Amino acid sequence: NAGVMQNPRHLVRRRGQEARLRCSPMKGHSHVYWYRQLPEEGLKFMVYLQKENIIDESGMPKERFSAEFPKEGPSILRIQQVVRGDSAAYFCASSPPRGRTGELFFGEGSRLTVL
Amino acid sequence: AQSVTQPDIHITVSEGASLELRCNYSYGATPYLFWYVQSPGQGLQLLLKYFSGDTLVQGIKGFEAEFKRSQSSFNLRKPSVHWSDAAEYFCAVGGGTGRRALTFGSGTRLQVQP
């Protein structure tokens, strides 16, 4: 049973470009979470999605960031007009539809570097 | 609002010594509590979890944690540390009506000396 798959693992962008990070949840999982980890810091919640719905986006910056989880295909975290402060590791996690609260399975992360 | 505090940013122990990593949480109801481990450049792996019942929970790799409601703590312990345990450890709290996301502490980095 494949785990949570994230790609790309590493992404380099210049300021002003767009970054797209993809996450395929574990098989059978319908809930996806995105977290951001800044250097030397813990994980900060960004957004929680179910298929075709954003459930909680309280941790998403108000501008330039968006997330989706379409009916078909992976979840996408999109960052427009990246700035140096966006450099971080972005982790995706998934959980089954009837799992206990918080039992998350994490991918290995996508590390974004903004030049 | 829920929050997690890991007061120790960095801990160094000798191989074979015992380990205790501290975690304090703030939460309005009975929390769900977790410990995750992150090796350099890797994702997070669940070590153990507490939902209810026995307050001493056993996890993988010989780790255990004890939930103490009176102290709002969920400290992680291991009786004898191995060099491969060097990593970053995150405590997390979950639960909350309609919200399934976890809140993480800032992490404790463990170094193991030979």
Side-chain angles (χ1 to χ4, degrees):
Chain A
N1 190 14
V4 177
M5 304 300 294
Q6 290 189 246
N7 68 83
R9 292 290 309 277
H10 299 275
L11 182 64
V12 179
R13 286 287 179 265
R14 297 190 181 280
R15 282 179 295 171
Q17 291 184 320
E18 179 179 285
R20 284 191 182 219
L21 309 177
R22 296 173 189 77
C23 169
S24 296
M26 286 181 70
K27 187 176 181 180
H29 286 193
S30 57
H31 301 258
V32 165
Y33 310 76
W34 285 94
Y35 285 81
R36 176 165 63 177
Q37 184 179 33
L38 295 169
E40 307 300 321
E41 293 188 18
L43 281 81
K44 302 297 183 187
F45 168 75
M46 300 182 76
V47 63
Y48 161 37
L49 310 105
Q50 295 178 21
K51 286 282 187 182
E52 300 184 281
N53 282 304
I54 296 175
I55 306 302
D56 181 353
E57 57 181 347
S58 58
M60 286 281 270
K62 294 289 184 263
E63 297 177 346
R64 303 187 297 108
F65 284 73
S66 63
E68 63 176 7
F69 189 17
K71 186 176 180 181
E72 302 290 338
S75 175
I76 307 273
L77 179 67
R78 181 183 179 204
I79 312 172
Q80 295 178 289
Q81 299 176 314
V82 296
V83 300
R84 288 212 173 116
D86 297 333
S87 295
Y90 292 83
F91 288 94
C92 172
S94 71
S95 67
R98 283 175 294 280
R100 290 185 191 245
T101 297
E103 205 161 351
L104 303 184
F105 298 80
F106 280 84
E108 294 192 335
S110 292
R111 282 153 181 84
L112 172 65
T113 301
V114 180
L115 301 177
Chain B
Q2 56 199 48
S3 66
V4 177
T5 301
Q6 294 181 246
D8 304 306
I9 296 172
H10 193 182
I11 284 183
T12 301
V13 299
S14 298
E15 190 167 17
S18 64
L19 172 71
E20 182 168 27
L21 302 183
R22 295 183 290 166
C23 172
N24 292 98
Y25 66 89
S26 173
Y27 192 70
T30 301
Y32 296 159
L33 294 158
F34 306 81
W35 275 99
Y36 283 84
V37 60
Q38 183 183 31
S39 297
Q42 300 297 313
L44 279 73
Q45 181 184 20
L46 180 67
L47 281 177
L48 48 76
K49 56 186 182 283
Y50 171 78
F51 292 135
S52 64
D54 192 348
T55 56
L56 184 64
V57 293
Q58 303 296 322
I60 62 171
K61 304 184 180 185
F63 285 92
E64 67 177 26
E66 186 171 12
F67 170 57
K68 292 186 177 180
R69 184 189 300 275
S70 61
Q71 299 177 19
S72 297
S73 69
F74 189 57
N75 294 348
L76 182 71
R77 300 194 294 249
K78 186 169 184 178
S80 178
V81 169
H82 188 262
W83 65 266
S84 61
D85 293 325
E88 186 124 24
Y89 291 80
F90 292 97
C91 182
V93 64
T97 303
R99 188 169 191 267
R100 295 180 56 177
L102 294 180
T103 298
F104 283 84
S106 54
T108 297
R109 181 161 295 173
L110 173 66
Q111 277 193 320
V112 180
Q113 287 181 335

